[in-house]
Amino acid sequence: MPIDIAACRSTEEILPALAPVFHYFGATPVPQDGERFVPFIEPSRAFAAHENGAVVGGCASFPFEMTVPGGTVRVAGLSVVGVLPTHRRRGILRRMMRAQLDDVHHRREPVAALWASEDTIYGQFGYGQASVCGDIDLPKSATAFARPAPSRGEFRMLSEAEAMTPLSEVYERVRLTQPGMVARSAVWWRNRRLADPENRRRGGGELNRVLLSHDGRPSGYALYRIHQQFESGVSTGHVNVIEAVGATPEATRDIWRFVLDIDWVTRVKAMLLPVDHPLFFLLARPREMKFRVHDGLWVRLVDLPAALAARRLGNADPVVIDVADAFCEWNAGRWKVSSDGAERTTDAADLECDITALGSVYLGGFAFRQLARAGRVTEMHAGAVARADALFPSEGAPWCPEVF
Ligand SMILES: CC(C)(COP(=O)(O)OP(=O)(O)OC[C@H]1O[C@@H](n2cnc3c(N)ncnc32)[C@H](O)[C@@H]1OP(=O)(O)O)[C@@H](O)C(=O)NCCC(=O)NCCS
C-alpha cells in the first residue's frame, strides 16, 4: 500500500498527526494534549504520513525566535516525530524530514533545532549536537553554599493566573542574553509552562510557582513540584525543580537557595541545566550534584548564509570552509566566512566539514577545535581552526530550559 506524506490542511488534522509519537509515550492524544501543540503550529507546519487514509507517521515544527550569540534567529523547532512500529524502517522518517526541511527552507527560517529522543537519528539529516546539558540529584545534606549570604529578596507563591506577567518578564530579561532560549508567547506560558493538568504531574504534586523580587521588582522565579513519599514515617521525597531562573547573579543565588531549603524532602533534583551553571560555584560541595551530562539541543543550518548573518561573527581573518550537505544540497560548496557573514567563493578551502559541524558551533556550545580533534573538521591550512574559532565566539554554554 503506498504511503502518502502531506502537510495538514486544518487544525483538526494536527491531533491525529501526533498519534504516532504518542504511541511511544503509551498514550493516545486527547484534546487536552492538543493544547500543548495545536495553538502554536499552523496546520501547514505539521506533516502526516497516511496509508489508506490512516495516519502512520507524523512530525511538526514550532516557529521560534531563538537567542544566538549576539542576536536572535527564526528557528523551526522540530517536534512530535513518530512512525508507528507497524511501519518503521521503510523510509517514512526520511521522507518526512525531506518534506519538513524543504518547508522550512521555503519559509525562509534559516535554522532548525530539536531535542532528540535518540542521538543516532538526526545527524544523517544534517543536525549537529549543539549543546550539552545536565541533570542533578543533590542530597539535602549537601546543599550548603560555599559563601553563604543572607537574601534580601522576597518570595511569594503565585497562582497560575498571577504567575504569567511577572514570570514572563523575568524570563524575557534572561532569554535575550542567553543563547538557546526561545521567546515565549502568553499562550505558550499558559499552556506549556504554567498549566498543571493531572496527566503532566508524573507522580509529583501540584505545580508550584514562586516569584522572587528584589527592591519590589520581579528578579527570579522557580517552577517546582514536590514528590513526597515516606518510609517508616520518614520522608524520602524530593523536590523536582522544573525551571529556576534569576535575572541577576543575586537573584540566581537566592532562587536556588529557596528551592534547596524546602523542608521535609531528602533530595533536590533538576534537569536540563547548562554545563556552566552557577551552582558549580555556589555550592560548597558541587560534586554532590552528580551532574550527569547528555546532549541538549541539536541544530541544523537550513540556509547557511542567512543563519550566519543572524549571529555575531568575530573580528578575525576570513576562513574558506568547504561544506558537505547531502540532504540540503543548496548549502554545499565553498563558503568564505568573515565577520560580515558567509559568501560563496572559488578560493581554496581552509577547512572541510559537513553541515553538522556548523550546527554544532552555531550557538557557541562547541568549538571548531573540539570538532577537529574528533575528526569532524579537517584543517587544510595551519591556523585555520583557530581562525574559525575566533570567527565564532561563544557567549557561554547554550541553555534551553525546556524540551519542545
Ligand atoms: C525514529 C523513528 C521516527 C524512525 O522512523 P522510520 O520511519 O523507521 O525511519 P526511516 O525508515 O525513515 O529511517 C531513515 C534512516 O534513519 C535510520 N534510523 C531510523 N531510526 C533510527 C534510530 N532510532 N536510530 C538510528 N538510526 C535510525 C534508518 O536506519 C534509516 O537510515 P538509512 O536510510 O541509512 O537506512 C521511529 O522509529 C519512531 O517513531 N521511533 C519512536 C519515536 C521517536 O523516537 N521519535 C523521535 C522523537 S525526537
mmCIF file of all heavy atoms in Angstrom, residues 251-267:
data_model
loop_
_atom_site.group_PDB
_atom_site.id
_atom_site.type_symbol
_atom_site.label_atom_id
_atom_site.label_comp_id
_atom_site.label_asym_id
_atom_site.label_seq_id
_atom_site.Cartn_x
_atom_site.Cartn_y
_atom_site.Cartn_z
ATOM 1 N N ALA A 251 19.875 37.205 42.197
ATOM 2 C CA ALA A 251 18.585 36.520 42.081
ATOM 3 C C ALA A 251 18.786 35.033 41.809
ATOM 4 O O ALA A 251 18.051 34.190 42.332
ATOM 5 C CB ALA A 251 17.754 37.171 40.972
ATOM 6 N N THR A 252 19.789 34.692 41.002
ATOM 7 C CA THR A 252 20.068 33.274 40.729
ATOM 8 C C THR A 252 20.448 32.567 42.029
ATOM 9 O O THR A 252 19.952 31.478 42.342
ATOM 10 C CB THR A 252 21.209 33.145 39.687
ATOM 11 O OG1 THR A 252 20.799 33.821 38.496
ATOM 12 C CG2 THR A 252 21.530 31.697 39.384
ATOM 13 N N ARG A 253 21.308 33.216 42.811
ATOM 14 C CA ARG A 253 21.721 32.629 44.099
ATOM 15 C C ARG A 253 20.514 32.472 45.014
ATOM 16 O O ARG A 253 20.301 31.409 45.609
ATOM 17 C CB ARG A 253 22.758 33.556 44.750
ATOM 18 C CG ARG A 253 23.335 33.028 46.038
ATOM 19 C CD ARG A 253 24.027 34.135 46.808
ATOM 20 N NE ARG A 253 23.046 35.099 47.298
ATOM 21 C CZ ARG A 253 23.328 36.351 47.675
ATOM 22 N NH1 ARG A 253 24.556 36.803 47.570
ATOM 23 N NH2 ARG A 253 22.376 37.153 48.118
ATOM 24 N N ASP A 254 19.666 33.491 45.107
ATOM 25 C CA ASP A 254 18.549 33.455 46.051
ATOM 26 C C ASP A 254 17.469 32.450 45.644
ATOM 27 O O ASP A 254 16.879 31.792 46.492
ATOM 28 C CB ASP A 254 17.926 34.853 46.174
ATOM 29 C CG ASP A 254 18.830 35.818 46.939
ATOM 30 O OD1 ASP A 254 19.893 35.378 47.428
ATOM 31 O OD2 ASP A 254 18.473 37.013 47.043
ATOM 32 N N ILE A 255 17.206 32.343 44.335
ATOM 33 C CA ILE A 255 16.131 31.424 43.934
ATOM 34 C C ILE A 255 16.587 29.974 44.143
ATOM 35 O O ILE A 255 15.810 29.121 44.560
ATOM 36 C CB ILE A 255 15.648 31.687 42.479
ATOM 37 C CG1 ILE A 255 14.273 31.046 42.255
ATOM 38 C CG2 ILE A 255 16.622 31.177 41.422
ATOM 39 C CD1 ILE A 255 13.159 31.636 43.026
ATOM 40 N N TRP A 256 17.892 29.710 43.934
ATOM 41 C CA TRP A 256 18.374 28.352 44.201
ATOM 42 C C TRP A 256 18.418 28.074 45.709
ATOM 43 O O TRP A 256 18.079 26.978 46.150
ATOM 44 C CB TRP A 256 19.730 28.105 43.533
ATOM 45 C CG TRP A 256 19.505 27.668 42.108
ATOM 46 C CD1 TRP A 256 19.558 28.459 40.998
ATOM 47 C CD2 TRP A 256 19.108 26.364 41.665
ATOM 48 N NE1 TRP A 256 19.224 27.723 39.889
ATOM 49 C CE2 TRP A 256 18.950 26.435 40.265
ATOM 50 C CE3 TRP A 256 18.879 25.142 42.297
ATOM 51 C CZ2 TRP A 256 18.568 25.336 39.494
ATOM 52 C CZ3 TRP A 256 18.500 24.045 41.538
ATOM 53 C CH2 TRP A 256 18.343 24.146 40.157
ATOM 54 N N ARG A 257 18.782 29.092 46.502
ATOM 55 C CA ARG A 257 18.775 28.883 47.961
ATOM 56 C C ARG A 257 17.372 28.492 48.407
ATOM 57 O O ARG A 257 17.179 27.615 49.245
ATOM 58 C CB ARG A 257 19.237 30.179 48.643
ATOM 59 C CG ARG A 257 19.544 30.118 50.119
ATOM 60 C CD ARG A 257 20.742 29.247 50.483
ATOM 61 N NE ARG A 257 20.352 27.884 50.798
ATOM 62 C CZ ARG A 257 21.143 26.824 50.652
ATOM 63 N NH1 ARG A 257 22.367 26.935 50.209
ATOM 64 N NH2 ARG A 257 20.708 25.619 50.946
ATOM 65 N N PHE A 258 16.371 29.163 47.794
ATOM 66 C CA PHE A 258 14.977 28.886 48.156
ATOM 67 C C PHE A 258 14.623 27.416 47.880
ATOM 68 O O PHE A 258 14.116 26.722 48.762
ATOM 69 C CB PHE A 258 14.038 29.813 47.361
ATOM 70 C CG PHE A 258 12.587 29.559 47.628
ATOM 71 C CD1 PHE A 258 11.916 30.238 48.623
ATOM 72 C CD2 PHE A 258 11.878 28.608 46.887
ATOM 73 C CE1 PHE A 258 10.571 29.988 48.877
ATOM 74 C CE2 PHE A 258 10.539 28.342 47.141
ATOM 75 C CZ PHE A 258 9.891 29.042 48.137
ATOM 76 N N VAL A 259 14.883 26.941 46.672
ATOM 77 C CA VAL A 259 14.460 25.567 46.353
ATOM 78 C C VAL A 259 15.313 24.540 47.102
ATOM 79 O O VAL A 259 14.826 23.454 47.441
ATOM 80 C CB VAL A 259 14.445 25.276 44.826
ATOM 81 C CG1 VAL A 259 13.353 26.047 44.142
ATOM 82 C CG2 VAL A 259 15.791 25.539 44.181
ATOM 83 N N LEU A 260 16.562 24.902 47.393
ATOM 84 C CA LEU A 260 17.423 23.955 48.123
ATOM 85 C C LEU A 260 17.030 23.860 49.595
ATOM 86 O O LEU A 260 17.369 22.886 50.273
ATOM 87 C CB LEU A 260 18.897 24.380 48.015
ATOM 88 C CG LEU A 260 19.513 24.376 46.611
ATOM 89 C CD1 LEU A 260 20.937 24.929 46.640
ATOM 90 C CD2 LEU A 260 19.516 22.973 46.014
ATOM 91 N N ASP A 261 16.331 24.878 50.098
ATOM 92 C CA ASP A 261 15.973 24.920 51.520
ATOM 93 C C ASP A 261 14.596 24.348 51.824
ATOM 94 O O ASP A 261 14.170 24.367 52.980
ATOM 95 C CB ASP A 261 16.015 26.379 52.016
ATOM 96 C CG ASP A 261 17.431 26.813 52.370
ATOM 97 O OD1 ASP A 261 18.314 25.937 52.501
ATOM 98 O OD2 ASP A 261 17.651 28.035 52.509
ATOM 99 N N ILE A 262 13.855 23.896 50.799
ATOM 100 C CA ILE A 262 12.498 23.396 51.073
ATOM 101 C C ILE A 262 12.590 22.202 52.024
ATOM 102 O O ILE A 262 13.357 21.255 51.791
ATOM 103 C CB ILE A 262 11.786 23.041 49.745
ATOM 104 C CG1 ILE A 262 11.515 24.335 48.966
ATOM 105 C CG2 ILE A 262 10.486 22.270 49.998
ATOM 106 C CD1 ILE A 262 11.056 24.125 47.543
ATOM 107 N N ASP A 263 11.825 22.281 53.102
ATOM 108 C CA ASP A 263 11.890 21.254 54.149
ATOM 109 C C ASP A 263 11.165 19.962 53.746
ATOM 110 O O ASP A 263 10.373 19.937 52.817
ATOM 111 C CB ASP A 263 11.230 21.784 55.430
ATOM 112 C CG ASP A 263 12.113 22.813 56.128
ATOM 113 O OD1 ASP A 263 13.343 22.636 56.129
ATOM 114 O OD2 ASP A 263 11.553 23.799 56.643
ATOM 115 N N TRP A 264 11.456 18.928 54.534
ATOM 116 C CA TRP A 264 10.718 17.675 54.528
ATOM 117 C C TRP A 264 10.887 16.866 53.250
ATOM 118 O O TRP A 264 10.010 16.153 52.799
ATOM 119 C CB TRP A 264 9.226 17.952 54.793
ATOM 120 C CG TRP A 264 8.549 16.878 55.592
ATOM 121 C CD1 TRP A 264 9.148 15.935 56.348
ATOM 122 C CD2 TRP A 264 7.140 16.649 55.688
ATOM 123 N NE1 TRP A 264 8.209 15.127 56.930
ATOM 124 C CE2 TRP A 264 6.963 15.554 56.533
ATOM 125 C CE3 TRP A 264 6.022 17.261 55.156
ATOM 126 C CZ2 TRP A 264 5.695 15.041 56.845
ATOM 127 C CZ3 TRP A 264 4.766 16.771 55.459
ATOM 128 C CH2 TRP A 264 4.612 15.686 56.295
ATOM 129 N N VAL A 265 12.027 17.019 52.626
ATOM 130 C CA VAL A 265 12.421 16.170 51.497
ATOM 131 C C VAL A 265 13.889 15.801 51.714
ATOM 132 O O VAL A 265 14.578 16.424 52.519
ATOM 133 C CB VAL A 265 12.276 16.885 50.126
ATOM 134 C CG1 VAL A 265 10.827 17.132 49.759
ATOM 135 C CG2 VAL A 265 13.064 18.191 50.098
ATOM 136 N N THR A 266 14.348 14.787 50.991
ATOM 137 C CA THR A 266 15.738 14.352 51.189
ATOM 138 C C THR A 266 16.655 14.730 50.029
ATOM 139 O O THR A 266 17.869 14.656 50.165
ATOM 140 C CB THR A 266 15.827 12.821 51.365
ATOM 141 O OG1 THR A 266 15.258 12.224 50.207
ATOM 142 C CG2 THR A 266 15.095 12.374 52.603
ATOM 143 N N ARG A 267 16.054 15.082 48.886
ATOM 144 C CA ARG A 267 16.883 15.384 47.725
ATOM 145 C C ARG A 267 16.276 16.517 46.917
ATOM 146 O O ARG A 267 15.060 16.764 46.981
ATOM 147 C CB ARG A 267 17.015 14.157 46.804
ATOM 148 C CG ARG A 267 17.311 12.862 47.518
ATOM 149 C CD ARG A 267 17.614 11.745 46.541
ATOM 150 N NE ARG A 267 18.944 11.881 45.993
ATOM 151 C CZ ARG A 267 20.044 11.484 46.630
ATOM 152 N NH1 ARG A 267 19.963 10.927 47.817
ATOM 153 N NH2 ARG A 267 21.214 11.638 46.087
#
